[in-house]
Amino acid sequence: MASSASPLPVGEDVPVSALSRAQLIDVLTDTVGDLENLDLSLSADGVEDARRLRSSLIAQIRDHVLPRLVDADIPAIVVVGGSTGAGKSTLVNSILGEEVSDAGVLRPTTRTPVLVVNPEDADAFTDHPVAGICVTVTSAAVPAGLALVDASDLDSVQETNRALASRLLEAADLWLFITTAARYGDHTPWASLEEAAGRETPIGVVLNRVPAKVLAEVRRDLMERLDTLGLAESPFFVIPDVGPHEGLLPQASVAELRDWLRALAGRHRAAGLVRRTGRGLWTGLRADLITLADDIDAQDDAATRLETASLKLLDAPSADLRTDVERGTCGQGAPTTRWVTLASSGGPLAPLAQGGKLRSGWFGRTAKARAAALATLAGDARESIASRLEAALVSVHDDAARTWEAAGAGARSGELLPDSADATAVVDAWAADQRARITSPPKGLTQQGACDLVVSAAAGIEGARAAAARLGLGQAATDAKAALAQTLTDVLAAAVPAGAARRLAPAPSLAAALRLRAGELAPFTRPGATA
């Protein structure tokens, strides 16, 4: 059953405009859903930071905020984290006085986080998100009201381990930062420490395995570094180097740290620690939502730029195809050579070229030869047109793929950019449409023969164009030519559909929704506010 106690910043006055606990749970649950569906794939200024912020917000709300809103009595979560080789597992075991987390040199590449809870608190973690990513161990050595997490290494060689470590830090009520004399300045752990300090997460620092001869120098330098993060007053513990050993550390070396953790629990089940965690949570959460809303706007701008760039890829190829059709260049080369051969003196198309009477011949043999010759001529014309269309489609497809890849949308190009059309099928369909338009073919030509002559003329074969005009098919050839230009450019445009890149932009309402939710959290950022 959810507790009626306040789980986050506690004070005497409740802001009148604040959401109720149930409303706040609904708002934050919806926010997590929106963030999980948010696509930040497009390249934009600060997009890497935006992706990290998105992951951080999801983890923080899902693993920390919502569980405390649902049940304020959940024990405070103390995450023991740091870099590889810092001795986290050995330290956890030594604090508790028993082996609860495996320690060893192979842990950095194979480990699963370990959640250690008091048996009294085990039920509270049954459905907790943190328990879902950890191995849970019960131990009476853990003070009731606290839960210890032996986290993955922040600088693990495995990305999944690093992601787990970051997620656990988002769930922490207290981060116990474990470092060594040799590793405290490493970039990844220090960057995580800086981020946690910025969110005002309570932090304790443990300088582990420190040789006595360098203790003064290392401690001074580390304290100066902590001061730059505003952590000079954070609890600070030194664990001396005990040399090569197996098993637990001497109890005396961890006594101060163990006593401090026990004091945090107390009979109020670490409520004071939870309140300190919450002091900066709402302010930080609200600021992060507003920042991410700005990042969503940046994604929208990036999608618009990609849309413009994608459509521009069509300009030159479309213009070239229209020019080819207008100038009749599709009919040059092999189709024109074919016409010359077939229309030469004695050839089956000679009467067409010379304006002579189109005879049928003995048993219609002349007409059949003429029809076959026109079919061959039209076939050459269609092949030439299809070849030019195919080249344009390949060029546009390749350019679009490169453009989308550069914009960060390469993974979605296969989904939103269709496969290239079959150029031959497109041209054949156009030719078939011209046949349907010829209802009264000239004497001496079949309907198919007249269509083949019109197709050849529209492709730009000069002799075919003149013959079509003499036979009253001039307008049909002109109309076919216009239809061809329109067909080719339409098919090319379909290779990069208008609006495809815009579909990569997050829903326009999402940025507004995040800003609205940030506004709904504003009352909780005021002094004395409570959830």
Side-chain angles (χ1 to χ4, degrees), residues 182-199:
R183 306 298 300 273
Y184 69 87
D186 289 358
H187 172 72
T188 299
W190 194 261
S192 299
L193 187 65
E194 184 175 15
E195 184 177 346
R199 291 198 308 269

Side-chain angles (χ1 to χ4, degrees), residues 35-36 71 90 97 109 119 180 225-226 279 358 384 390 420 460 494:
L35 295 178
E36 288 177 333
D71 184 358
T90 297
T109 58
T180 66
R225 288 171 175 257
L226 292 173
R279 284 173 187 164
L358 302 181
S384 176
E390 176 69 20
S420 295

Side-chain angles (χ1 to χ4, degrees), residues 207-227:
L207 187 56
N208 195 22
R209 300 197 305 240
V210 188
K213 63 180 180 180
V214 299
L215 174 57
E217 178 184 354
V218 170
R219 178 170 184 150
R220 181 174 60 253
D221 184 50
L222 179 54
M223 290 301 296
E224 289 176 355
R225 288 171 175 257
L226 292 173
D227 187 43

Side-chain angles (χ1 to χ4, degrees), residues 57 60 198-199 279-289 525:
L57 277 170
Q60 187 178 13
R199 291 198 308 269
R279 284 173 187 164
L281 185 146
W282 295 115
T283 298
L285 187 59
R286 182 170 181 265
D288 287 345
L289 288 173
T525 66

Side-chain angles (χ1 to χ4, degrees), residues 240-404:
D241 186 14
V242 297
H245 75 287
E246 293 183 2
L248 306 180
L249 297 170
Q251 287 298 296
S253 65
V254 297
E256 184 182 7
L257 178 56
R258 182 182 58 243
D259 292 344
W260 176 68
L261 288 174
R262 287 177 177 172
L264 286 178
R267 62 181 179 180
H268 295 297
R269 304 177 64 81
L273 174 60
V274 172
R275 284 196 296 271
R276 289 197 295 278
T277 307
R279 284 173 187 164
L281 185 146
W282 295 115
T283 298
L285 187 59
R286 182 170 181 265
D288 287 345
L289 288 173
I290 293 172
T291 297
L292 198 57
D294 293 340
D295 292 322
I296 292 172
D297 290 339
Q299 287 287 298
D300 189 85
D301 292 341
T304 298
R305 290 194 298 272
L306 180 58
E307 176 78 8
T308 301
S310 297
L311 296 181
K312 191 171 181 59
L313 295 175
L314 300 172
D315 290 350
S318 294
D320 289 344
L321 283 177
R322 282 192 171 276
T323 299
D324 284 346
V325 173
E326 181 63 31
R327 294 179 178 177
T329 52
C330 297
Q332 295 176 3
T336 295
T337 299
R338 178 79 69 179
W339 168 265
V340 171
T341 300
L342 296 173
S344 61
S345 181
L349 299 185
L352 281 174
Q354 299 164 6
K357 190 174 181 179
L358 302 181
R359 302 181 183 278
S360 294
W362 190 253
F363 295 113
R365 291 174 182 172
T366 301
K368 291 178 182 178
R370 183 164 55 248
L374 283 170
T376 299
L377 181 66
D380 285 351
R382 293 198 306 273
E383 183 177 344
S384 176
I385 297 168
S387 176
R388 290 170 187 266
L389 176 59
E390 176 69 20
L393 286 169
V394 169
S395 175
V396 166
H397 185 274
D398 290 348
D399 288 346
R402 284 192 294 270
T403 300
W404 280 48

Side-chain angles (χ1 to χ4, degrees), residues 40 74 132 135 150-151 212 219 234 299 328 334 340 354 369 372 374 487 496:
L40 294 171
I74 289 177
V135 173
D150 180 13
R219 178 170 184 150
S234 294
Q299 287 287 298
V340 171
Q354 299 164 6
L374 283 170
T487 296
V496 186

